Amino acid sequence: MAVGRSDTLQELITILETMFGETIIGSDINLVKHLFYSLKADQREFPFDYEGEKLTSVVEEVSEDTLVLYVPYLQPKGILRAKISFEILNILYQFEVVLLDFWEDHVRVKIPSELQAAAFRKNLRVAVDDLFMNYVILYRSLSGGERELGKNLSVEQRFFHLMKEIKKDNPSLKLINLMVTEYILGISKDYEIVFFGPGKDGGFFGDFVKKYNRSVYVPDCSLIKSYIGEEKDPYLDNFRDEYLRLIQTRGQAKADEFFRELQKEEVRNFLISYIVTPIRLFNDPIGYVRVFSTAMDKFSIVQQQALYIEELGDILTYALTKVYIRQENFRNEEAVTRILDISMNGLLFEIQDERTFNYLKQHNIIKMFIPISERNLVLRGEVVRFLEIGNGKYQLGVNFFDSNPDDMVFLQHYIFSKKMRILFE
């Protein structure tokens, strides 16, 4: 049910009528429709809150009294109401809309007949064209997103010194490599770390990791079911998916022969068991770690040890990606981090690297270093908006939640001086 006009909303409408003239006045629905025309013209993405699920939407069509929104991954749940919110001209709007029809990532909604909620921003944003920043991702969890307390606390305790180094702003890859090696040696002295590159594709294990991007664990090389059996480890994969693919492409006999030969070769090399886990940059495999035991070692790598190695692979992936993001921001033109606007609440910045854009959707807590005049501001924030602009450009909105002492005061002076300069130009 729409909310009647309050004094604040009436004042807001009066201000907007002054700004835009008589083309949008006459009734609330004309004003509301104008807002959606503006969103459609700019192809602006805005939040679509449907039954607690936070989705992103774009206006595709504005009709007499309905809208067509493009909402990727929208799944109808029987509920016919949703909340949308957006910002135009420094004013935040929020509406509850009625959903009329669903089809293929689209939904038709009824245009609200009245303004429901709107408020001016307390802190105005200032557009900038000469401000750049460097930043580093801050640790929340290895997978990003919400912190999984049980899992991540155990990882941090098990690899305490390694995680302590990785959480630094500028972790040392050389030291991380030494630590990872020491942890591996605690499981087995037989291991290899392979990075893909010119003339080094990693062979069969490299092809498997590139194709499936997951770990594989063979607990007993003397048993063919360890390679291709249906009863595989509940937490780690074997080669069964590759075996089924070979059956489809080459036939049953060829698939059986391939894995029999693989098993024979590894038994001839005295292998008892092994774990292969990918090393990634962002989410792309760039190598793998293989840890194995042989007949001379007189032990097998058990499930807990295999999971331990898999966690090490995830930690190494996180470390490599964090260092890459930090070091490549200003070194590589494709990763330049340009600030578009800034306020006391947050900022909007632009990048040209799709992998970084997608990675920040999960690892969205960042520490920013912004050189302004003689000072280097250090601010911490959460990335809350993700916009694909096109032409290889991506924009991300950040809300600040912490800063170094006095940096917010300096930022306030900078914004004030920027506003005054704009007014006098």
Side-chain angles (χ1 to χ4, degrees):
M1 180 176 178
V3 179
R5 286 187 182 179
S6 65
D7 292 340
T8 304
L9 286 179
Q10 184 58 57
E11 180 184 354
L12 175 65
I13 292 169
T14 303
I15 293 171
L16 289 173
E17 288 173 347
T18 304
M19 295 168 66
F20 292 110
E22 297 184 357
T23 56
I24 65 168
I25 63 174
S27 67
D28 277 7
I29 192 168
N30 287 340
L31 173 59
V32 174
K33 191 183 294 187
H34 177 86
L35 298 175
F36 288 111
Y37 273 123
S38 176
L39 292 175
K40 180 178 184 295
D42 294 340
Q43 281 295 287
R44 290 266 301 279
E45 296 183 1
F46 54 91
F48 186 90
D49 188 348
Y50 183 54
E51 278 299 284
E53 189 175 2
K54 302 290 185 181
L55 302 171
T56 301
S57 59
V58 178
V59 177
E60 283 203 351
E61 180 184 319
V62 182
S63 302
E64 185 65 27
D65 59 355
T66 63
L67 304 169
V68 174
L69 304 180
Y70 172 63
V71 190
Y73 313 115
L74 177 64
Q75 296 293 330
K77 299 179 181 179
I79 305 299
L80 298 180
R81 286 187 178 274
K83 291 182 180 180
I84 59 175
S85 57
F86 50 84
E87 175 191 342
I88 296 179
L89 291 175
N90 221 58
I91 302 171
L92 301 174
Y93 297 92
Q94 181 173 310
F95 294 97
E96 186 177 87
V97 294
V98 178
L99 312 183
L100 302 175
D101 192 17
F102 297 87
W103 72 96
E104 295 180 353
D105 292 340
H106 288 76
V107 61
R108 188 181 301 277
V109 306
K110 187 172 179 60
I111 297 178
S113 59
E114 297 183 9
L115 281 170
Q116 294 176 3
F120 285 102
R121 277 188 172 272
K122 293 181 180 178
N123 295 301
L124 295 177
R125 291 184 175 182
V126 174
V128 292
D129 57 7
D130 58 352
L131 206 56
F132 296 85
M133 74 177 194
N134 201 348
Y135 65 94
V136 62
I137 56 175
L138 296 179
Y139 179 78
R140 178 188 286 179
S141 72
L142 290 176
S143 59
E146 292 300 322
R147 185 179 174 85
E148 304 168 52
L149 284 176
K151 179 179 178 181
N152 285 283
L153 283 177
S154 65
V155 169
E156 292 172 52
Q157 291 170 358
R158 192 177 301 122
F159 306 103
F160 177 78
H161 297 289
L162 178 59
M163 294 305 301
K164 185 177 180 181
E165 177 65 24
I166 286 174
K167 289 180 182 180
K168 293 180 180 178
D169 291 343
N170 291 292
S172 166
L173 282 182
K174 182 177 180 180
L175 182 56
I176 289 171
N177 179 54
L178 291 172
M179 290 182 177
V180 168
T181 302
E182 285 296 318
Y183 284 118
I184 292 174
L185 288 173
I187 300 297
S188 174
K189 63 178 178 60
D190 298 309
Y191 71 93
E192 61 177 348
I193 300 177
V194 176
F195 286 94
F196 308 139
K200 185 179 287 187
D201 58 7
F204 171 71
F205 295 120
D207 291 340
F208 181 87
V209 165
K210 290 175 188 176
K211 189 179 301 179
Y212 296 100
N213 197 10
R214 61 182 189 234
S215 301
V216 61
Y217 170 50
V218 177
D220 189 345
C221 294
S222 67
L223 301 175
I224 191 64
K225 69 177 184 179
S226 292
Y227 292 82
I228 60 175
E230 292 184 23
E231 297 181 0
K232 56 187 178 183
D233 185 280
Y235 301 103
L236 296 161
D237 285 309
N238 60 10
F239 295 109
R240 183 165 181 80
D241 287 346
E242 177 66 7
Y243 172 66
L244 295 176
R245 188 192 70 83
L246 288 177
I247 290 176
Q248 291 181 342
T249 57
R250 301 186 189 179
Q252 179 81 51
K254 290 289 186 182
D256 289 341
E257 180 184 0
F258 179 86
F259 279 100
R260 286 290 183 188
E261 288 300 319
L262 176 64
Q263 182 195 21
K264 288 178 183 178
E265 180 182 353
E266 292 181 341
V267 170
R268 281 195 296 268
N269 290 327
F270 305 105
L271 291 185
I272 297 294
S273 57
Y274 60 85
I275 167 75
V276 180
T277 194
I279 301 171
R280 308 175 184 92
L281 185 63
F282 298 101
N283 195 44
D284 304 321
I286 59 171
Y288 64 83
V289 177
R290 184 171 76 113
V291 182
F292 54 94
S293 64
T294 68
M296 282 71 78
D297 298 322
K298 298 182 180 179
F299 72 89
S300 295
I301 295 175
V302 298
Q303 182 200 75
Q304 285 303 112
Q305 293 172 319
L307 291 172
Y308 182 93
I309 297 300
E310 185 178 46
E311 286 179 345
L312 266 179
D314 289 340
I315 292 172
L316 191 53
T317 291
Y318 178 85
L320 290 172
T321 305
K322 177 175 181 173
V323 171
Y324 177 89
I325 290 175
R326 175 63 194 261
Q327 294 185 353
E328 291 297 313
N329 277 334
F330 280 359
R331 183 187 304 169
N332 184 353
E333 289 184 1
E334 296 300 317
V336 167
T337 306
R338 183 167 68 95
I339 298 176
L340 303 178
D341 61 52
I342 192 168
S343 73
M344 293 299 293
N345 289 333
L347 58 80
L348 182 70
F349 69 93
E350 182 178 271
I351 60 176
Q352 299 181 47
D353 186 59
E354 184 179 7
R355 294 187 304 174
T356 303
F357 176 75
N358 291 326
Y359 195 74
L360 288 173
K361 289 181 179 179
Q362 292 296 323
H363 300 267
N364 63 335
I365 305 299
I366 63 174
K367 183 176 182 179
M368 294 154 283
F369 307 88
I370 307 173
I372 296 179
S373 300
E374 74 283 357
R375 193 181 184 100
N376 193 33
L377 303 188
V378 179
L379 307 169
R380 297 163 191 83
E382 179 179 6
V383 185
V384 294
R385 292 178 58 199
F386 299 87
L387 307 173
E388 296 188 38
I389 304 304
N391 297 321
K393 295 183 179 181
Y394 306 89
Q395 294 180 2
L396 303 98
V398 182
N399 284 342
F400 301 142
F401 62 75
D402 191 22
S403 70
N404 278 6
D406 298 331
D407 277 359
M408 294 307 288
V409 175
F410 192 89
L411 177 60
Q412 187 175 35
H413 290 320
Y414 170 80
I415 292 173
F416 177 77
S417 63
K418 194 78 175 176
K419 283 188 208 171
M420 297 302 295
R421 196 178 306 124
I422 292 172
L423 288 174
F424 285 105
E425 285 179 351

